[in-house]
Amino acid sequence: MSLRRYALAALASAIFAGSAVAKDYELLNVSYDPTRELYQDYNTEFTHFWKASHPGDNVKIQQSHGGSGKQARGVIDGLRADVVTLALAGDIDEVAKLGKTLPENWQTRLPDASTPYTSTIVFLVRKGNPKGIKDWGDLTKDGVSVITPNPKTSGGARWNFLAAYAYGLKANGGNEEKAKEYVKELFKHVPVLDTGARGSTITFVNNGQGDVLLAWENEAFLALKEDGGNDKFDIVVPSLSILAEPPVAVVDKNAEKKGNSEIAKAYLEHLYSPAGQEIAAKNFYRPRDAAVAAKYAQQFPKLELVTIDKDFGGWKTAQPKFFNDGGVFDQIYQAQ
Amino acid sequence: MSSSTQSASSVANAARRGSPTSRRLLIGFGWLFFTLFLLLPLLIVVSQGLKMGVGTFVDAIIEPDALSALKLTIIAVVISVPLNVVFGVSAAWCVSKYSFRGKSILVTLIDLPFSVSPVIAGLVYVLMFGAQGFLGPWLQEHDIQIVFALPGIVLATIFVTVPFVARELIPLMQEQGTQEEEAARLLGANGWQMFWHVTVPNIKWGLIYGVVLCTARAMGEFGAVSVVSGHIRGVTNTLPLHVEILYNEYNHVAAFAVATLLLIMALFILLLKQWSESRINRLRASAAEE
C-alpha cells in the first residue's frame, strides 16, 4: 500500500517537475542530398544525448533533403530551417546574404570553419572497370560517358567541377585556358545533368546510365553498401581531388522565432563530439577529430587534395568566377 | 519505314471494308499497346511493392511518414476539391447562362492551368508568398507561413485543378439552356429554390464526373506541389513526393508500396468516374428521346 502511494507520489512529482521545465522541440534540419543516412543516425544519437540532460523534453527532428543550391533557395524563400547542413559554404553565404537570417560571419562561430566532417570526390565505375578509368585524364577518352549533377543546383557537382578544374590546371602547368578546355571536353562526355547528387547516383546505379559517376566519397561507399553494390561497382581514386567541406550553421532568425536557439546550437556542436564524429565516419564522412580519424584511417584512401580556400580563394571568389551567370561553367557548357 | 506505313494504310483500308481479320488485328494491336505501355508498368509497380511480401508492404504504408503523407494528400484534396466545385459551378453558370463582355477571356483563363507548366504554378506562389516575395515581408511580420507549409500545398493543388469542374459543366449547361430555370422563376421559385431544384439535378452527373477528375488530379499532383513543399519528411510531403523520396533513398520496396497505394486510390476514383459517366450518357440518351 505504502509502496503504491510512494510510486504515485513519484509519478506525480515526475509529471509536475517535467511539466515545469519540459519543452517540446521541433527542429528542422535542411540538408543536401547524400546526408539522408548520416542524419537519420545522428538524429537518434542527438535525441538520446539531449534527453540525458533534459529528461522531460520531447525532441522531434525534421529533415528535408535536396540539391544543396535548391535547398539554400528554399531557406532564402522562407523554408523555416533551424539549422542548415549544406554541401558547401557558398550556399550558406547566399542564405546569409539574400535571406538575412544569419550573420555573414557564420563560418567563424564553430570550429574548423563550421565544417564538422569532410569528404572528397572519387569515381564510381562499373565492376572490373571495363573502360580502364584510372584518373581524370581518362574521362575525356572516346566512348566514355560521365555522370555528374548540375553545378547550378548541386553542391556536389560544384566540388566535382572544381576537382576536375584543379586536375586541368595541374596537368597543364597552371594554364587556366588549358584547364577550361579540359573541363569543356569533360562536359561533352556528360549525357545528363540531374539537379542533385542523389539523382545522379540513381541515374548511374539504378538506371545503368554512364561509365563513371563523379561522386562524393560517402555517396560512392554507400552505393557499394547497397544490396549487391559490391558486385556491380568499383571505386577509383584519382591522383588528385578536392577536399570537400560541407559546412553547418544555425539559421538564427528562424531558430529564435521557434524558440530553438539553444537546442539548434547544441545540435551542431554535438556533431563535433566523439559520438557525432563516430557517426560521421560510419556514414563514410571523413571525421575532423584526430582520434576518430585514426580509428577509421583504413577506410579512407590517402590522396592529394586541393582546397577551396588555398587553391580557389574561397567560395566568395570561386562561386562568382565559376558558377554564377556568365561564369566558367556557363562559358564552357553553352559553347557546346 | 515505307513498308510499315504501307501496312498501316492497308490495315486501315481493310478495316473500312470491315473484314474480320483486320478488325481483329486492329483490336489486337490496341490491346498490345495498352498492355505494353499501361498495364505492364502498373503491374510492375504492384509486383515490386509486394516483392518482399505483404508484411513489408503494409509496414511501408503504416510507417509514420507515409501515413502523414497520406493524411496531407487527403487534406489537400478535401480542401481544394470543394473550393473548385464552388468556383467551377459559378464559372460554368456565368459562362452558360449569361452573355457579357470578356466572356471569352474568362473561358480562356479557366483553361490556363491546363497550358501552364505545374512548375510555374508552384513558382508563382513562391514569388508571391515566399520570404523574398511580393507579400513575403508582411507575412513574416505576422508570422503567417504559406509556402513550404499546408496553405501553399493547397493553393498549388487548387491552381492545377481549377479547370476540371468548370470544363465539364460548361458544355452540359450550354446544351441545357435556360428554359427550365426561366419556367421555375415564372412559377414563383426564388433563386436558391431554382438552383437546388432545377439546376443541380440537371448537372448532377456532370458535376460528379468533374469532381472525380479533379480529385484524381489533386491526389497525384507532383510538379507544382514539389516546388512549394520544402520536402520536410512527415510534415510537407504528399504521397507522390513521398514516393520520390523513398525511391531516392534506395528504399525501392517501400517506394513501390506507397505507389501502389496511390494506384489503388486512383483506380477507385476511376471506377467512380466510369459510373458517373454512364449515368451522364443515359441521361443524355433519355433527353434525346424526348
Side-chain angles (χ1 to χ4, degrees):
Chain A
M1 199 59 196
S2 70
L3 188 70
R4 186 180 290 174
R5 195 175 300 161
Y6 173 76
L8 276 175
L11 186 68
S13 76
I15 291 169
F16 184 72
S19 67
V21 291
K23 282 188 75 177
D24 282 350
Y25 292 105
E26 271 193 4
L27 198 71
L28 173 58
N29 176 2
V30 171
S31 195
Y32 63 112
D33 242 346
T35 56
R36 297 159 198 258
E37 293 76 12
L38 166 67
Y39 280 108
Q40 221 167 10
D41 289 353
Y42 178 71
N43 290 348
T44 317
E45 155 64 25
F46 177 75
T47 312
H48 284 309
F49 165 76
W50 183 262
K51 285 205 163 191
S53 51
H54 304 77
D57 290 4
N58 276 318
V59 182
K60 209 169 136 194
I61 300 165
Q62 298 164 337
Q63 287 293 141
S64 167
H65 295 277
S68 185
K70 187 178 133 209
Q71 294 291 81
R73 191 67 242 178
V75 177
I76 292 167
D77 282 330
L79 181 57
R80 289 185 179 177
D82 296 289
V83 298
V84 282
T85 53
L86 295 179
L88 46 87
D91 283 333
I92 305 185
D93 283 339
E94 290 294 305
V95 177
K97 202 172 85 190
L98 299 174
K100 298 191 177 58
T101 39
L102 70 164
E104 299 223 10
N105 71 348
W106 60 271
Q107 225 170 348
T108 61
R109 299 190 295 181
L110 284 168
D112 299 317
S114 211
T115 310
Y117 42 77
T118 65
S119 190
T120 187
I121 302 300
V122 297
F123 304 160
L124 192 67
V125 298
R126 309 272 167 211
K127 191 75 192 171
N129 198 358
K131 300 269 166 130
I133 289 153
K134 293 197 181 63
D135 203 357
W136 292 97
D138 300 323
L139 300 182
T140 52
K141 281 185 183 160
D142 279 349
V144 174
S145 160
V146 182
I147 304 292
T148 174
N150 187 346
K152 293 279 183 184
T153 52
S154 157
R158 273 172 271 174
W159 292 114
N160 290 347
F161 188 94
L162 291 181
Y165 194 82
Y167 169 83
L169 283 178
K170 191 188 163 201
N172 295 296
N175 185 323
E176 295 230 5
E177 284 311 308
K178 291 262 173 66
K180 271 187 206 172
E181 253 163 51
Y182 167 73
V183 285
K184 182 174 175 181
E185 193 55 39
L186 173 62
F187 272 84
K188 282 188 187 154
H189 291 257
V190 179
V192 48
L193 291 173
D194 288 291
T195 56
R198 188 51 65 87
S200 279
T201 310
I202 297 283
T203 299
F204 182 79
V205 170
N206 292 357
N207 306 340
Q209 299 280 309
D211 303 305
V212 53
L213 172 73
L214 305 186
W216 291 94
E217 184 179 49
N218 50 283
E219 188 79 349
F221 274 120
L222 192 68
L224 290 192
K225 210 178 90 179
E226 282 309 312
D227 51 354
N230 248 326
D231 308 328
K232 290 185 214 148
F233 311 107
D234 286 322
I235 290 178
V236 171
V237 180
S239 67
L240 166 123
S241 193
I242 192 162
L243 179 71
E245 295 167 280
V248 300
V250 173
V251 185
D252 300 47
K253 287 222 174 124
N254 290 348
E256 273 162 34
K257 213 180 255 174
K258 291 154 80 176
N260 285 346
S261 294
E262 190 196 353
I263 193 171
K265 192 161 166 267
Y267 180 78
L268 295 186
E269 280 168 356
H270 192 60
L271 278 169
Y272 292 86
S273 73
Q277 293 283 294
E278 188 91 17
I279 285 175
K282 276 191 190 138
N283 283 282
F284 311 112
Y285 289 83
R286 297 182 174 216
R288 292 279 198 186
D289 184 277
V292 180
K295 186 177 162 193
Y296 286 88
Q298 285 236 310
Q299 184 176 309
F300 301 109
K302 286 198 171 58
L303 70 161
E304 188 189 340
L305 296 174
V306 299
T307 72
I308 183 74
D309 289 324
K310 272 211 306 269
D311 300 87
F312 292 98
W315 277 109
K316 287 193 170 72
T317 313
Q319 176 68 33
K321 179 178 171 189
F322 288 96
F323 304 115
N324 283 4
D325 277 347
V328 173
F329 176 71
D330 281 349
Q331 292 163 27
I332 66 117
Y333 199 69
Q334 281 163 9
Q336 284 180 21
Chain B
M1 189 67 202
S2 70
S3 78
S4 77
T5 48
Q6 222 168 29
S7 73
S9 71
S10 69
V11 167
N13 281 334
R16 236 170 275 140
R17 272 185 262 116
S19 107
T21 6
S22 61
R23 199 177 57 208
R24 261 185 235 130
L25 212 70
L26 266 178
I27 293 172
F29 183 73
W31 270 104
L32 187 76
F33 185 85
F34 172 78
T35 314
L36 224 57
F37 291 95
L38 226 80
L39 209 58
L40 210 60
L42 290 181
L43 283 177
I44 288 171
V45 168
V46 177
S47 75
Q48 289 284 321
L50 288 166
K51 202 167 70 177
M52 310 292 266
V54 180
T56 330
F57 179 87
V58 173
D59 282 348
I61 287 171
I62 60 171
E63 187 257 345
D65 286 346
L67 281 184
S68 102
L70 175 64
K71 202 173 110 193
L72 182 62
T73 302
I74 291 173
I75 291 174
V77 167
V78 165
I79 300 176
S80 60
V81 172
L83 284 174
N84 272 334
V85 167
V86 174
F87 168 78
V89 170
S90 24
W93 181 279
C94 280
V95 168
S96 58
K97 311 274 175 183
Y98 301 105
S99 58
F100 53 91
R101 267 177 124 183
K103 185 165 143 176
S104 60
I105 296 176
L106 183 67
V107 176
T108 314
L109 280 181
I110 291 172
D111 280 342
L112 195 67
F114 274 152
S115 51
V116 170
S117 159
V119 176
I120 295 170
L123 279 178
V124 165
Y125 291 113
V126 172
L127 291 177
M128 191 79 182
F129 302 114
Q132 314 300 317
F134 184 61
L135 294 172
W138 187 86
L139 289 169
Q140 290 228 304
E141 243 167 63
H142 295 79
D143 209 28
I144 302 168
Q145 181 89 355
I146 303 239
V147 283
F148 310 121
L150 178 67
I153 292 169
V154 170
L155 278 174
T157 309
I158 289 175
F159 185 96
V160 293
T161 52
V162 153
F164 288 97
V165 173
R167 265 285 136 218
E168 196 50 44
L169 289 185
I170 289 170
L172 191 67
M173 287 169 98
Q174 272 172 340
E175 201 178 310
Q176 287 169 352
T178 54
Q179 286 171 345
E180 288 186 34
E181 273 92 356
E182 280 163 12
R185 289 311 287 263
L186 283 174
L187 291 170
N190 68 28
W192 277 114
Q193 284 172 325
M194 174 197 76
F195 180 73
W196 286 112
H197 295 290
V198 179
T199 312
V200 169
N202 275 341
I203 62 169
K204 192 166 69 184
W205 295 108
L207 186 60
I208 290 175
Y209 184 56
V211 166
V212 165
L213 286 180
C214 188
T215 310
R217 180 68 198 268
M219 250 169 31
E221 176 56 23
F222 179 85
V225 171
S226 172
V227 176
V228 296
S229 139
H231 302 274
I232 308 168
R233 274 191 93 124
V235 184
T236 60
N237 265 327
T238 59
L239 274 184
L241 299 183
H242 193 61
V243 172
E244 193 207 20
I245 284 195
L246 290 171
Y247 184 73
N248 279 348
E249 281 167 7
Y250 302 106
N251 204 343
H252 296 160
V253 173
F256 286 113
V258 176
T260 305
L261 174 66
L262 210 51
L263 193 68
I264 291 168
M265 289 162 73
L267 284 177
F268 178 71
I269 297 287
L270 207 67
L271 283 178
L272 277 180
K273 183 200 132 213
Q274 208 53 39
W275 174 66
S276 58
E277 211 172 30
S278 68
R279 292 303 296 250
I280 296 175
N281 287 341
R282 210 182 305 164
L283 222 66
R284 285 220 173 113
S286 68
E289 271 168 33
E290 284 163 23

